[in-house]
């Protein structure tokens, strides 16, 4: 009973939120570099405000982030000390193909990640690598309009071939697109799509066309991964969190079910290999014409993912009643507030049982192994007078969620491969761009505007999580 022996315990980060060094060793500019901190960030993230170049009046936190590019050895040593079995990280496309459409890769970028993966292996840590964690070369955005253009599939295929070949034997677990469903909710941050000049109908079309290209690219990546090394295991990655009906009024139930389908559409295609009938009906009804090539359907059918991974921070609420208007913020998009749940300082609703509900639902739907690749609490950690961070709130959050995951394994029979909490070290927040929204077990001395020594120190949760891993989830 409890967690399986080979359970992959670890933590996660993303390149653009941690590496910095945005212009070193031939790295090209990416969409994710151009997300400023402050009130305009949301409009840029949503693709409503065009920001294709750095502007003087803004601060761009990803430029230097926490400088993991230079400090990766010290940081991975800390992950080794935590006893990590796996470390989820992403590669920056622009380090390997600075512009995105070159034929030959940038050797400096390839070498960099090779060193990082070898460093992980030194500590017995299995890398779990996201190929695209929201990032896309700006050259591809400007020249081709990013994922709305079918040519992106070829450029991405090239990236995948290079990466799978070069890291054969070093990396076995891959996620192709982080939170692939976020192309609908945060089109510029998640997929390099600027849509500010389109009407609502055109926006929908562009987003679904881009989604289709990403889904085809995902299938192609899965195919290549398996061809290059049959040991490779490829997962989809869904930004998850169920919509609960606000009441048992069937109208609320239906609204919630339909909202969930907007997300499941992606994993339905990736896990089952075909477009679900409800999406085809939606396209027909709303006159959304998606360009499919003949070979797409076969490619999707024959190259489904090996496992289902997802991020889980919160559940959401759906209602058909326009009078129920109280909203709360959430991961990328807002939701109706759930009166039964507490919230984080950023308004995200805390719902450990929702994690078990999510695991049950995803397993019932796909019958494939599941992997929780993001889960954590963003909080404004304040060091005490001795400089210590006693983050009991984070320990409670993680512990409650891990217990819920354990129940899903023990009581519901759900096969879970691993758990990588977000984020093992403090990094820049994707949604807000703030540093003070901290998720780490390791504190990084840096503020929202980039001031600070970048010194790393362990929080109370560091020792706690170390014991969780040592006891294989028994000591919570
Ligand atoms: C997920 C992303 O949406 O949530 C991460 O994959 C992100 O990149 C995480 O950091 C937490 O969100 P935020 O906005 O608090 O950083």
């Amino acid at each position: 009973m409890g967690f399986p022996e080979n359970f992959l315990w670890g933590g996660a980060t993303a390149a653009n939120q941690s590496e910095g060094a945005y212009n070193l060793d031939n790295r090209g500019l990416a969409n994710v570099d151009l997300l400023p901190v402050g009130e305009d960030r949301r409009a840029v993230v949503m693709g409503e405000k065009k920001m294709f170049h750095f502007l003087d009046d803004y601060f761009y936190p990803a430029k230097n982030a926490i400088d993991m590019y230079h400090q990766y050895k010290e940081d991975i040593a800390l992950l080794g000390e935590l006893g990590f079995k796996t470390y989820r990280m992403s590669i920056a496309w622009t380090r390997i193909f600075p512009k995105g459409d070159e034929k030959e890769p940038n050797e400096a970028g390839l070498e960099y990640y090779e060193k990082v993966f070898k460093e992980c292996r030194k500590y017995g840590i299995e890398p779990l690598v996201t190929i695209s964690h929201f990032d896309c070369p700006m050259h591809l955005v400007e020249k081709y309009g990013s994922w709305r253009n079918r040519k992106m599939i070829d450029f991405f295929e090239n990236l995948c071939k290079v990466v799978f070949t070069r890291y054969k034997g070093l990396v076995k677990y891959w996620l192709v697109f982080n939170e692939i469903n976020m192309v609908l909710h945060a089109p510029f941050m998640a997929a390099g799509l600027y849509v500010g000049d389109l009407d609502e109908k055109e926006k929908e079309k562009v987003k679904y066309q881009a989604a289709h290209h990403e889904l085809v690219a995902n299938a192609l990546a899965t195919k290549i991964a398996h061809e290059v090394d049959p040991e490779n295991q490829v997962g989809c990655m869904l930004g998850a969190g169920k919509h609960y009906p606000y009441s048992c009024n069937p109208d609320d139930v239906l609204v919630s079910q339909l909202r969930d389908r907007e997300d499941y559409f992606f994993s339905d295609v990736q896990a089952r290999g075909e477009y679900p009938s409800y999406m085809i009906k939606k396209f027909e009804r709303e006159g959304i014409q998606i360009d499919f090539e003949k070979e797409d359907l076969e490619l999707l059918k024959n190259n489904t993912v090996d496992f289902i991974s997802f991020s889980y921070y919160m559940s959401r609420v759906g209602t058909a009643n326009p009078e129920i208007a109280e909203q709360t913020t959430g991961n990328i998009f807002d939701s109706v507030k759930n009166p039964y749940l507490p919230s984080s300082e950023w308004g995200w609703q805390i719902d450990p049982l929702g994690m078990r509900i999510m695991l049950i639902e995803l397993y019932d739907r796909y019958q494939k192994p599941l992997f929780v690749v993001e889960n954590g609490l963003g909080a404004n950690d304040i060091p005490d007078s001795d400089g210590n961070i006693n983050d009991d709130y984070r320990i409670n959050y993680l512990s409650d969620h891990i217990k819920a995951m354990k129940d899903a394994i023990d009581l519901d029979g759900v096969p879970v491969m691993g758990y990588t909490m977000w984020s093992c070290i403090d990094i820049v927040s994707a949604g807000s761009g703030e540093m003070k929204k901290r998720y780490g077990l390791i504190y990084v001395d840096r503020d929202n505007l980039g001031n600070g020594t970048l010194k790393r120190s362990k929080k109370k949760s560091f020792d706690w999580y170390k014991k969780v891993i040592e006891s294989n989830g028994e000591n919570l």
Side-chain angles (χ1 to χ4, degrees), residues 14-49:
N16 75 86
Q17 293 169 253
S18 57
E19 285 177 3
Y22 79 103
N23 58 357
L24 291 190
D25 300 330
N26 311 321
R27 183 187 181 281
L29 193 65
N31 58 334
V32 282
D33 301 333
L34 289 155
L35 308 176
V37 77
E39 59 181 32
D40 285 339
R41 183 179 180 93
R42 195 172 167 89
V44 179
V45 162
M46 301 298 161
E48 295 295 340
K49 183 178 170 65

Side-chain angles (χ1 to χ4, degrees), residues 17 133-134 178-179 313 331 348 374 422 429-431 437 439:
Q17 293 169 253
H133 193 117
F134 294 157
N178 178 64
E179 293 188 339
Y313 293 90
N331 187 12
W348 293 23
E374 281 186 38
W422 187 268
S429 155
K437 191 180 185 195
Y439 286 85

Side-chain angles (χ1 to χ4, degrees), residues 196-215:
D197 52 353
L198 305 178
D199 65 28
E200 288 310 311
K201 192 164 175 205
E202 287 167 331
K203 269 182 205 166
E204 281 289 283
K205 177 178 157 53
V206 163
K207 288 192 278 183
Y208 278 104
Q209 184 67 63
H212 177 68
H213 292 148
E214 289 197 347
L215 288 166

Side-chain angles (χ1 to χ4, degrees), residues 13-14 16-17 41 88 133-134 178-179 182 189 237 239 311 313 330-332 346 348 373-374 376-378 422-423 427-434 437-439:
T13 60
N16 75 86
Q17 293 169 253
R41 183 179 180 93
R88 175 180 174 227
H133 193 117
F134 294 157
N178 178 64
E179 293 188 339
M182 292 309 170
M189 176 168 79
M237 200 298 199
S311 61
Y313 293 90
N331 187 12
I332 310 287
W346 270 263
W348 293 23
V373 295
E374 281 186 38
L377 180 72
W422 187 268
S423 55
I427 58 179
V428 176
S429 155
S432 74
E434 294 163 295
K437 191 180 185 195
R438 299 171 179 278
Y439 286 85

